[in-house]
Amino acid sequence: MSKNVVIVGGHGKISLLLAKLIGPHNSVKSVIRTKDHEADVKAASAHPLFLNLEESPVSEFTKAFEGVDVVYFSAGAGGKGGPDASKRVDYEGAVKVFDAIESVEGKKPRLVLVSAIDVRDTDGEVPSHYDEADKDISKRTWGAIGIYMKWKYEADKNLIKRSKFDWTIVRPGGLSDEDGKGTASIGVTHIVNKISRQDVAQTLALLLDREDAAGLALDVVGGETPISQALDVAIEKKESAFSG
């Protein structure tokens, strides 16, 4: 069944790949802030929606989300632009979208939030399933882009307290631009293996129809299991990779 979808962060690499996958059979609007990105969004089978995540008020996003079935949040500063940029986009921008969804009258959209693997309270205990390789990659990642990870963590903490709409958090591992393999490890995983953006987009596309993934935070890394099968197992287990 065709769905109405909004992708926030519509010109990101994963967002464009996602739009190409779901756009032909659904009504997809991609949030962008500049005309320079319009042609790319249209080429990806989506319709441009001009809003500024940092400057547009909550009310404009609420209006954009009316009648929408699923909102994807795939925006992020990516560690670029300094601490202020990460806070404005990865945290404040995400919270703005959460608030906007809550403000929708009647049926509210379901949210699929793209976060990052190993987003957690680093002052707490290391996850029990981490091995030495996981601990090493965690240390190096937080050392390189700790501000970005911090604000992703704050956004995720904010989201898991929300109960007025359904949400799923997707936590990709290290990303590559290689061709997708169509396989992954999903759920509560080790964090070392990289995954292609194409395979992350495929996971997001499958979540379009997975209302049963509500309330879960799913790690997505490189693996050998077909993505649809890995997703089925992770959802059935109901194990969340983010505890807050």
Side-chain angles (χ1 to χ4, degrees):
M1 182 177 176
S2 179
K3 286 183 169 59
N4 292 320
V5 179
V6 172
I7 302 174
V8 180
H11 194 253
K13 291 181 179 180
I14 291 175
S15 295
L16 291 172
L17 291 167
L18 172 63
K20 287 180 181 179
L21 290 171
I22 66 175
H25 305 292
N26 298 276
S27 176
V28 179
K29 294 180 180 178
S30 288
V31 173
I32 54 176
R33 61 181 180 179
T34 172
K35 284 277 188 179
D36 294 343
H37 297 158
E38 185 174 14
D40 292 338
V41 165
K42 288 182 176 179
S45 301
H47 305 284
L49 178 58
F50 291 99
L51 288 171
N52 189 314
L53 189 59
E54 296 181 49
E55 298 177 5
S56 300
V58 170
S59 59
E60 291 190 14
F61 280 92
T62 298
K63 183 177 180 180
F65 295 159
E66 291 175 354
V68 169
D69 298 298
V70 177
V71 172
Y72 289 94
F73 184 95
S74 188
K80 300 176 183 177
D84 289 344
S86 286
K87 182 179 181 181
R88 290 195 306 270
V89 176
D90 296 290
Y91 175 64
E92 293 175 352
V95 170
K96 181 181 290 187
V97 167
F98 306 162
D99 290 343
I101 293 174
E102 285 191 345
S103 298
V104 171
E105 295 289 340
K107 185 179 179 181
K108 304 180 192 306
R110 182 162 51 91
L111 173 69
V112 179
L113 177 81
V114 180
S115 182
I117 205 160
D118 197 44
V119 163
R120 60 188 175 88
D121 178 7
T122 54
D123 291 329
E125 295 183 3
V126 174
S128 59
H129 66 282
Y130 278 19
D131 59 19
E132 291 305 314
D134 295 325
K135 293 175 185 177
D136 181 64
I137 194 70
S138 174
K139 182 178 180 180
R140 287 191 280 119
T141 300
W142 277 87
I145 55 171
I147 294 296
Y148 167 78
M149 299 287 281
K150 165 187 165 60
W151 291 117
K152 284 293 187 188
Y153 172 63
E154 294 298 331
D156 290 2
K157 276 201 305 181
N158 186 292
L159 179 59
I160 66 171
K161 297 174 182 176
R162 309 260 179 163
S163 59
K164 293 183 179 179
F165 59 91
D166 287 341
W167 50 263
T168 303
I169 301 173
V170 175
R171 296 162 31 112
L175 297 170
S176 78
D177 288 318
E178 296 177 358
D179 291 340
K181 297 180 179 179
T183 60
S185 179
I186 301 176
V188 177
T189 71
H190 293 290
I191 68 174
V192 173
N193 291 342
K194 289 187 175 182
I195 186 164
S196 73
R197 288 177 171 84
Q198 180 68 55
D199 286 332
V200 175
Q202 180 65 47
T203 305
L204 295 172
L206 289 170
L207 284 168
L208 181 64
D209 295 314
R210 298 304 300 261
E211 296 182 8
D212 52 348
L216 297 179
L218 302 170
D219 286 350
V220 182
V221 299
E224 301 302 322
T225 306
I227 292 173
S228 60
Q229 180 181 336
L231 188 61
D232 284 343
V233 171
I235 293 173
E236 183 177 352
K237 286 183 176 180
K238 296 294 184 185
E239 290 181 347
S240 186
F242 183 86
S243 62

